[in-house]
Amino acid sequence: MYPVCCPPMSASTPALNPAQQAAVDHGDAPLLVIAGAGSGKTMTLAARLARLVQDGADPQRILLLSFSRRAAQELARRAGRLLHQALGLPPTARAPLLPWAGTFHGIGARLLREHADAIGLPPTFSIIDRGDAEDLMGQCRQQTGVADHTTERFPLKGTCLAIYSRAVNSREPLDALLREHWPWCVAHEAALRRLFGAYVAAKLDQQTLDYDDLLLWWLEMLQASPEIAAALEARFTHVLVDEYQDTNRLQEAILRALKPQGQGLTVVGDDAQAIYGFRAAEVRNILDFPARFTPPAQVVTLAENYRSTQPLLDASNAVIALAPERFAKTLFSTRASSEKPLLVAVDDEAAQARWVADEVLRLREGGLKLKSQAVLFRTGSHSAALELELARRRIPFVKFGGLKFLEAAHVKDLLALLRWIDNPRSRLAGFRLLTLLPGIGPGRAAALLDAMDASPEPWAALAAARVPSAARADLAAFATLCQTLRSGQRGWPDELALAIDWYLPQLERLHEEDAAVRALDLQQLLQLAAGHASRERFVTELTLDPPEATSDESGPPLKDEDYLILSTLHSAKGQEWQAVYLLNMVDGCLPSDLSTGSAQQLEEERRLLYVGMTRAKRHLQLIVPQRFYVTQQRAMGERHLYGGRTRFIPEALLPLFEADSPARRARAAEAAAEAAKGPPTRPPLDLRARLRSAW
């Protein structure tokens, strides 16, 4: 613990504005920091963390929650650097660590393992990712026969899991949930309840938790055991939550159970950037936060923007000011400029693509790199015409997306093996592995798993099982591997190296076309494993926070030194670029025609536009196609619809934008060309003729 007499922040600490300083200096009462876009939120939260430690808080007892492990680690790193400076530590001394910084799901997993015995969970419980959870839901769907007892369309396993997940995270009754989000499934409510009951039972039988369980079990533990709740409240003297506007009702309930009086609770967020309602995020969590405590929580607003020029902020402020309910704030900046955001009218999507390509190249010629420019859109399909135009002009671009690391079959196989070693009751993992072996099909794999479940020594039962001669040698080698890994004789990460040695022949047999490429991922797994203390920690961390990309189905390498960014609006949150182009600013695209069913959905679309506009630093263009050609017609058909400018920019806001269009640019270019020519040239005067004619 660091004493209260620690010196104040040193002069080298970044200067804080008055609002930021108020948030940093706030005491232990509940605090809500409304952090506007580009307002220095990360620096403020890091400085508050550092100040808490300076004032005597034990870093071991500070809980920092965020929505990505990287964000939590960055906050902890910045706070550590500030503390290093403020405490006057020598350069070789390590800054204080914050061991309880992480995501909601990651912290939940740690606490559940810590209290597993007290709540009836085995400490070696498995955590499955979304893909495995979907497979398990599919097995339960088949076993219960819910789809066989109806003549109507029954939701597939992915939809069933989505319904279950939203019900858990939103804490909304299933009947109301179906009516609002899946009205075509209302008739299947009873069957879905039966299916979800079977899914929960299957997870319990296999000692397995999915993502949602990490939060659900955490909350149930706090509510069912006052002793554990009191112990955790005392253990964590301060709880800080980043991106609070993105929390769901389940996460909000966890925080209330951890800090019922709000003592030591700080939440940071921006209601104007609450755009994840489709993931069950609840904007009312942040709107209602102050009133949940007596006296109400203090609210500090960070409104000084360090990213954008003032004309861009004026337009963004006006758009969000039309929201019926919000924390009032007006972003301001010292970055003066006369350049207003452009509202560009184009004929159609093809003209939109040409316009964006022209503008991107124009700014590039003016010295603005492609990487400093981004094109944002509501859904991935909106960029199709632009991608063709960029490819035609050889303008390199990167579009966010692709196959995730944990979605690759070979990675899932190795993680299933590691899970099964710790938890042999995980039939999902066991079934996946046994069916990899030559000569063992689904029926034989199920029989082997039944034999293991019935035996007190499951691995011995597997080794002694009778199988056809074609599978005997492979099964024996596999059983030996499992027994060796289970014994722990090799130690971590040598255990993973042994598992990879066993798996490589399977990889070459199952994926012969690209086995060499996939093997690179296995080497990457081995490198990642070295940074984790145990098999259990490795599997948990990789499941909850996997690498983004995989070699599986990778495309050609991008060899250009510069490239344009293409991104959905949701993926762009938290990013910033010098120039931003917003595509399809028409009703039906933004707001999406699928998101106008309720006032809540419509307001989230407004916030989505606000998020897009506040990504820009200097240049912002909102592009409005006039025509959209109808699909399902003959090639080059002329049937089309007219699009109206998005309702979020009414007539009253137009003076904040500068109107532009290709036709306007063409007329201006013609006028400039004429002006450059000067007055019309006349033939030289023939004075000799004039003189002759005079006589």
Side-chain angles (χ1 to χ4, degrees), residues 306-322:
Y306 298 94
R307 173 188 298 157
S308 306
T309 58
Q310 192 59 49
L312 270 58
L313 294 179
D314 291 339
S316 303
N317 287 331
V319 166
I320 201 63
L322 298 177

Side-chain angles (χ1 to χ4, degrees), residues 347-374:
D347 288 339
D348 52 27
E349 289 183 286
Q352 175 178 248
R354 292 193 297 271
W355 173 274
V356 171
D358 288 341
E359 290 295 285
V360 164
L361 292 178
R362 180 179 68 83
L363 291 181
R364 178 179 176 272
E365 289 302 310
L368 194 61
K369 291 183 177 181
L370 295 179
K371 288 180 182 178
S372 298
Q373 305 183 57

Side-chain angles (χ1 to χ4, degrees), residues 218-277:
W218 185 2
L219 177 60
E220 292 292 332
M221 176 177 70
L222 294 173
Q223 293 179 339
S225 174
E227 296 81 8
I228 294 178
L232 289 179
E233 181 184 7
R235 176 180 186 173
F236 297 120
T237 56
H238 293 87
V239 177
L240 296 91
V241 185
D242 191 16
E243 302 289 1
Y244 186 67
Q245 78 280 351
D246 294 335
T247 56
N248 57 44
R249 291 175 181 169
L250 188 55
Q251 291 162 325
E252 188 272 337
I254 289 171
L255 293 174
R256 267 192 295 156
L258 273 176
K259 292 291 178 184
Q261 306 304 319
Q263 194 72 5
L265 178 60
T266 298
V267 300
V268 182
D270 184 7
D271 57 298
Q273 298 186 68
I275 59 173
Y276 293 114

Side-chain angles (χ1 to χ4, degrees), residues 242-436:
D242 191 16
E243 302 289 1
Y244 186 67
Q245 78 280 351
D246 294 335
T247 56
N248 57 44
R249 291 175 181 169
L250 188 55
Q251 291 162 325
E252 188 272 337
I254 289 171
L255 293 174
R256 267 192 295 156
L258 273 176
K259 292 291 178 184
Q261 306 304 319
Q263 194 72 5
L265 178 60
T266 298
V267 300
V268 182
D270 184 7
D271 57 298
Q273 298 186 68
I275 59 173
Y276 293 114
F278 66 95
R279 296 180 185 169
E282 178 54 71
V283 68
R284 295 236 60 90
N285 288 351
I286 193 169
L287 292 174
D288 298 339
F289 181 84
R292 288 207 168 98
F293 305 99
T294 304
Q298 182 173 342
V299 180
V300 174
T301 301
L302 308 183
E304 183 171 356
N305 180 282
Y306 298 94
R307 173 188 298 157
S308 306
T309 58
Q310 192 59 49
L312 270 58
L313 294 179
D314 291 339
S316 303
N317 287 331
V319 166
I320 201 63
L322 298 177
E325 185 177 10
R326 67 189 183 98
F327 285 104
K329 64 178 177 299
T330 302
L331 299 181
F332 65 94
S333 172
T334 58
R335 301 185 63 192
S337 173
S338 60
E339 181 181 333
K340 294 181 179 180
L342 296 184
L343 196 60
V344 183
V346 296
D347 288 339
D348 52 27
E349 289 183 286
Q352 175 178 248
R354 292 193 297 271
W355 173 274
V356 171
D358 288 341
E359 290 295 285
V360 164
L361 292 178
R362 180 179 68 83
L363 291 181
R364 178 179 176 272
E365 289 302 310
L368 194 61
K369 291 183 177 181
L370 295 179
K371 288 180 182 178
S372 298
Q373 305 183 57
V375 184
L376 309 181
F377 32 85
R378 176 62 178 82
T379 61
S381 61
H382 287 176
S383 65
L386 175 61
E387 291 178 47
L388 292 175
E389 183 70 14
L390 295 175
R392 186 180 70 81
R393 299 203 196 185
R394 300 184 183 278
I395 301 174
F397 65 90
V398 171
K399 185 176 180 180
F400 289 102
L403 189 64
K404 305 296 184 184
F405 191 78
L406 292 189
E407 294 172 359
H410 52 293
V411 177
K412 292 176 74 71
D413 291 341
L414 258 297
L415 291 182
L417 175 57
L418 298 180
R419 286 195 192 100
W420 202 35
I421 296 304
D422 280 331
N423 179 16
R425 295 191 64 180
S426 175
R427 294 181 67 93
L428 189 68
F431 187 84
R432 181 184 189 95
L433 292 164
L434 290 173
T435 52
L436 289 177

Side-chain angles (χ1 to χ4, degrees), residues 23-44:
V24 169
D25 294 338
H26 181 79
D28 290 342
L31 171 66
L32 168 61
V33 179
I34 297 296
S39 62
K41 175 200 69 173
T42 302
M43 181 180 68
T44 304

Side-chain angles (χ1 to χ4, degrees), residues 203 333 439 496 550 605-606:
K203 288 187 293 181
S333 172
L496 181 58
T550 170
E605 294 290 296
R606 186 195 308 277

